[in-house]
Amino acid sequence: RIRRAVFPAAGLGTRFLPATKAQPKEMLPLVDKPLIQYAVEEAVSSGLQNLIIITGRGKNAIEDHFDVSYELEKILEERGKSELLNQVRAVSDMVHIAYVRQKEALGLGHAVLTARGFIGWEPFAVLLGDDVIVGDTPCIRQMIEIHERYQTSVVAIMEVPGNEVSRYGIIGAKPLESEDGRLFEVKDMIEKPTVREAPSNLAIIGRYILTPGIFD
Ligand code: UTP
């Protein structure tokens, strides 16, 4: 059973500079919530309860966001702003989160590796807060169901225009006939291929189910 979800959030966010100079990319707002809250809500509504966020220097805002904000709650209460108060409380009531520090931003793989000691020998979910995915059934829930059927690692993909393949990890894959053309068996994956090298236009996006063998 998949119980744990890892949220790597220790990257430097250089592509969003200067917005990310003094605040984490994961805290940039989309409408009225920071990006990472969408991913956390997706995990919680998919039944994942054991959440681990990988942070680093300059990422304290993420911890504060999911913590109780005593002073803010008190002021909202005094001013009778009960709806806002409920919204603020809901964020910290939602879930218990453990934080692991990645001391140096050595890449996504290394970020996941820092969570190894907290995961043990079981499959787990990875959600990247900077990909926001909307679905009636949450994306990671769909992937958990696929993992339960096939007992293997699962990556989410999306179709990208042919000239954009060099921005993504691209899979070489065979569609599984019993699955409506939406599920593929991965034969190969290439990080940021040229248009010529790319085996398809199916790009890996920020949702993964990984089996613990990944650590070796
Ligand atoms: P990105 O590839 O988007 O890297 O990481 P980044 O550093 O955040 O941003 P750019 O490329 O400099 O603009 C994908 C995910 O992996 C995390 C990021 O926080 C993001 O959620 N990550 C990346 C880490 O946790 N640690 C790292 O060392 C690198």
Side-chain angles (χ1 to χ4, degrees), residues 13-25:
T14 52
R15 281 168 295 177
F16 278 108
L17 282 169
T20 49
K21 186 178 170 199
Q23 73 165 334
K25 171 170 75 176

Side-chain angles (χ1 to χ4, degrees), residues 122-199:
E122 55 182 64
F124 60 100
V126 177
L127 296 92
L128 304 188
D130 47 1
D131 278 335
V132 175
I133 304 175
V134 178
D136 290 335
T137 306
C139 179
I140 203 72
R141 179 73 239 160
Q142 296 179 38
M143 294 170 71
I144 291 170
E145 282 161 17
I146 291 165
H147 172 81
E148 282 167 358
R149 264 189 283 144
Y150 291 91
Q151 298 291 313
T152 184
S153 292
V154 184
V155 294
I157 50 169
M158 73 175 180
E159 285 179 68
V160 296
N163 59 358
E164 286 180 16
V165 288
S166 61
R167 294 199 211 160
Y168 296 90
I170 300 293
I171 61 168
K174 198 174 98 211
L176 287 177
E177 275 168 23
S178 54
E179 298 279 353
D180 262 5
R182 293 189 68 222
L183 191 64
F184 297 78
E185 185 182 347
V186 176
K187 302 285 188 192
D188 193 10
M189 45 176 79
I190 309 181
E191 179 68 2
K192 303 194 171 79
T194 61
V195 174
R196 271 233 253 117
E197 287 166 339

Side-chain angles (χ1 to χ4, degrees), residues 20-121:
T20 49
K21 186 178 170 199
Q23 73 165 334
K25 171 170 75 176
E26 296 75 15
M27 290 301 293
L28 294 176
L30 184 63
V31 191
D32 56 357
K33 284 188 243 177
L35 287 178
I36 192 161
Q37 190 176 332
Y38 290 92
V40 166
E41 287 176 355
E42 180 183 331
V44 171
S45 65
S46 299
L48 296 164
Q49 285 167 337
N50 215 317
L51 310 191
I52 302 165
I53 299 186
I54 314 294
T55 65
R57 271 185 302 286
K59 300 282 182 167
N60 297 352
I62 298 176
E63 292 175 47
D64 290 342
H65 181 71
F66 292 105
D67 200 353
V68 171
S69 175
Y70 180 74
E71 299 84 351
L72 179 62
E73 288 187 15
K74 194 155 170 290
I75 290 168
L76 292 174
E77 207 170 336
E78 280 167 11
R79 294 187 183 165
K81 307 237 172 194
S82 52
E83 198 180 315
L84 281 177
L85 179 64
N86 291 340
Q87 281 177 24
V88 166
R89 279 207 183 128
V91 178
S92 55
D93 283 348
M94 188 163 47
V95 74
H96 290 286
I97 300 175
Y99 295 89
V100 180
R101 297 277 282 213
Q102 185 190 20
K103 291 180 197 158
E104 271 183 276
L106 295 178
L108 173 57
H110 182 262
V112 174
L113 184 61
T114 59
R116 179 180 197 163
F118 301 86
I119 290 167
W121 197 258

